[in-house]
Amino acid sequence: MSVAPALTVALGDRFATALPEMALPWQAAETPDPRLLALNEPLAADLGLDADALRTPEGVALLTGTAVPEGARPVAQAYAGHQFGYYNPRLGDGRALLLGELTGVDGRPYDLHLKGSGRTPFSRGADGYAAVGPMLREYVVSEAMHALGIPTTRSLAVVATGRPVRREALLPGAVLARVASSHLRVGSVQFARATGDDDLLRRLADEAIARHHPAAADAEQPYLALYEEVVAAQADLVARWMLVGFVHGVMNTDNMTLSGETIDYGPCAFMEAYAPDTWFSSVDEGGRYRYGNQPLAAEWNLARLAEALLPLLASDQESAVALAVEALGRFRPFFDAALLAGWRAKLGLPDGLDDDVARGLVDDLLALLQDNRVDLTSFVRALSRAARGDAGPARELVLDLAAADAWLERWRALAPDADAMDRVNPVYVPRNALVEEALTAATAGDLAPFERLVEVVRRPFDVRPGLERYAAPGPEGPFVTYCGT
Ligand code: AMP
Ligand code: MG
């Protein structure tokens, strides 16, 4: 007889206690027939959670919010936000809940949050549910991002609920258990500001400082320092997206964290053929959030954050605006520096190389890739072989060989470090066609392609024989992601 491992989870109510005005006590919907589809064992270990215990009915009940530990106080979080440029004063968790905060084995607090857990007072006519496909998409893409070293929320588990949800068709429903260093967003600050309650705004800013930017507490002007830290974190984050061809797809202010973690994997996708005007989202009609526009979109969101923080920056508005403008002005230089540093690493360039020379080399490479519709991931990875003397795999991807050879010759003259390049240039990213294939199979009940894809993207830098199809560009042609609800 085997004894089920006991599940011991201590869930705090830090957010609900510090910011009750933004925390609506709420309960998850029942799950008619819960079935665990994916469990992130490495992440469970980081959180000090027993994976075997999470697989028991009691564990699955926690992962769907249907039974929570004593003392936990699940809440729907209130937030506002600009969606595609338009302000909405009341968004909030319309199909999500914050179960509470866990302490990781690193001693830090992490939010345990659910998505797809049923209607809340923020649901605005929508059903509060999520489908298996989009929740597994968030799971696999966030795992890939984490493995690529890009700050991100994580996915702890996906549980099929046994409840069909109505989308373009009837689809199997699911709940995602998400882990983040917090769910504080630009939209959270906008919400607090809109209440007109400066004390609430201050408590929210204090919470963001405590959880994400503790050094700001010691600055002469902590709230200005907080803003500067968020600007820097977002500049760094978006640069990292750009370096791997990630297109977030829905960079509304409610989907931008104060921590600098990527959040909300809806209509996101990896660009294959290099083209700055790439976007995939069916709901992004003007291409507001296309690849090449992401830094601008981030900067725009950070301007909204500054507006919301103004009362904390100075006692008179004129000085507050001047401080905010100056701090926001650093976004571009931060972003440009992070992007250039990233490209220097990707191209294995020597430390001493002049920035202008490096920048010229990068610009010319990107023009070459764009003109020839070259797959970003495979070309850049093939460059280390060119650095070792075999330019074949890189040349094979470019039509204009004269232009390719001219660039390769210029670059190779700088003696690039091939081993260093292989540590930063992924072989495997979750390519759109492979993700779709895995989600389609999973929706029909076959999890094998999904599980294999997760294993592949978890080790993005190690070439493994037999995985060639995961490294190859997908079929050319328009690829569209739907909102992912
Ligand atoms: P998103 O664009 O996914 O970040 O969501 C924006 C807003 O819509 C948030 O307030 C969500 O909680 C809400 N929302 C999205 N999908 C649903 C749904 N199926 N039911 C209720 N609310 C939703
Ligand atoms: Mg969102």
Side-chain angles (χ1 to χ4, degrees):
M1 197 181 86
S2 70
V3 178
L7 182 72
T8 39
V9 181
L11 272 177
D13 57 359
R14 170 181 182 139
F15 178 85
T17 303
L19 300 157
E21 299 93 329
M22 300 176 66
L24 225 141
W26 204 253
Q27 244 182 347
E30 286 304 319
T31 49
D33 182 19
R35 213 159 48 81
L36 186 62
L37 299 183
L39 178 67
N40 192 333
E41 294 196 3
L43 176 59
D46 287 347
L47 296 168
L49 298 173
D50 182 324
D52 289 332
L54 288 173
R55 292 181 192 282
T56 64
E58 193 192 356
V60 171
L62 170 72
L63 294 170
T64 52
T66 48
V68 294
E70 277 271 310
R73 277 207 288 158
V75 295
Q77 292 180 303
Y79 51 85
H82 278 87
Q83 298 181 303
F84 298 95
Y86 296 97
Y87 183 63
N88 188 328
R90 191 180 150 98
L91 291 170
D93 285 337
R95 53 162 173 170
L97 287 180
L98 174 66
L99 288 183
E101 299 88 11
L102 293 162
T103 305
V105 293
D106 60 5
R108 300 160 79 125
Y110 290 94
D111 280 6
L112 179 57
H113 178 98
L114 303 179
K115 192 158 160 181
S117 49
R119 288 181 54 82
T120 76
F122 300 111
S123 297
R124 294 173 291 146
D127 64 4
Y129 296 122
V132 162
M135 296 306 98
L136 290 178
R137 174 197 294 278
E138 173 150 348
Y139 187 107
V140 67
V141 181
S142 60
E143 274 309 278
M145 295 290 270
H146 176 72
L148 289 166
I150 300 173
T152 179
T153 65
R154 305 278 309 273
S155 300
L156 178 61
V158 176
V159 179
T161 59
R163 177 189 293 105
V165 298
R166 187 168 292 284
R167 294 294 180 261
E168 61 279 14
L170 267 192
L171 297 170
V175 172
L176 170 80
R178 176 160 82 182
V179 172
S181 70
S182 91
H183 284 78
L184 304 179
R185 311 148 187 262
V186 170
S188 312
V189 184
Q190 292 180 289
F191 179 91
R193 173 69 199 274
T195 63
D197 179 351
D198 286 357
D199 176 64
L200 173 62
L201 186 62
R202 186 168 295 109
R203 273 182 282 126
L204 174 60
D206 287 340
E207 180 67 358
I209 290 173
R211 285 187 78 161
H212 307 302
H213 306 292
D218 302 325
E220 207 170 300
Q221 298 183 70
Y223 302 118
L224 179 62
L226 167 65
Y227 181 62
E228 290 167 343
E229 295 268 0
V230 178
V231 167
Q234 285 293 339
D236 186 68
L237 178 66
V238 177
R240 288 170 188 267
W241 291 354
M242 302 301 281
L243 291 164
V244 297
F246 178 74
V247 182
H248 180 283
V250 59
M251 292 177 69
N252 295 332
T253 59
D254 53 306
N255 292 337
M256 183 184 256
T257 59
L258 302 184
S259 63
E261 286 175 351
T262 311
I263 194 171
D264 232 321
Y265 293 87
C268 62
F270 279 78
M271 176 177 70
E272 300 202 334
Y274 183 84
D277 67 355
T278 301
W279 84 92
F280 303 97
S281 171
S282 63
V283 293
D284 187 4
E285 278 168 22
R288 179 181 173 97
Y289 298 135
R290 59 188 180 269
Y291 172 82
N293 228 28
Q294 295 187 120
L296 208 65
E299 199 174 17
W300 193 90
N301 290 350
L302 291 165
R304 306 290 79 75
L305 175 61
E307 286 164 2
L309 285 172
L310 283 181
L312 302 185
L313 298 184
S315 49
D316 69 293
Q317 181 159 315
E318 207 176 319
S319 327
V321 169
L323 290 169
V325 166
E326 194 195 340
L328 180 58
R330 276 182 234 133
F331 177 85
R332 263 293 150 177
F334 274 146
F335 171 79
D336 289 340
L339 192 68
L340 185 61
W343 270 111
R344 291 181 73 114
K346 287 175 86 64
L347 298 181
L349 300 179
D351 286 343
L353 186 72
D354 182 79
D355 268 349
D356 288 334
V357 176
R359 202 173 288 118
L361 206 63
V362 173
D363 289 348
D364 293 346
L365 171 65
L366 296 180
L368 177 76
L369 297 185
Q370 186 174 355
D371 291 347
N372 290 270
R373 297 198 55 75
V374 178
D375 182 78
L376 174 68
T377 304
S378 33
F379 185 85
V380 175
R381 180 70 189 204
L383 283 177
S384 61
R385 289 180 65 177
R388 295 187 181 101
D390 176 14
R395 293 180 85 239
E396 204 171 88
L397 297 167
V398 189
L399 219 54
D400 183 350
L401 280 178
D405 287 338
W407 188 88
L408 286 166
E409 193 178 324
R410 231 169 100 202
W411 167 69
R412 282 190 56 193
L414 301 166
D417 180 344
D419 292 340
M421 293 172 70
D422 283 344
R423 289 192 291 271
V424 296
N425 294 318
V427 190
Y428 311 111
V429 294
R431 291 179 178 273
N432 306 323
L434 297 169
V435 172
E436 281 316 300
E437 174 189 274
L439 302 188
T440 303
T443 299
D446 176 12
L447 284 169
F450 168 78
E451 287 167 353
R452 185 143 170 90
L453 185 59
V454 171
E455 286 316 312
V456 171
V457 300
R458 270 193 175 147
R459 283 168 55 200
F461 304 110
D462 304 343
V463 185
R464 280 160 284 165
L467 298 185
E468 289 73 18
R469 75 183 285 265
Y470 292 89
E476 271 245 34
F479 176 81
V480 181
T481 61
Y482 297 90
C483 191
T485 60

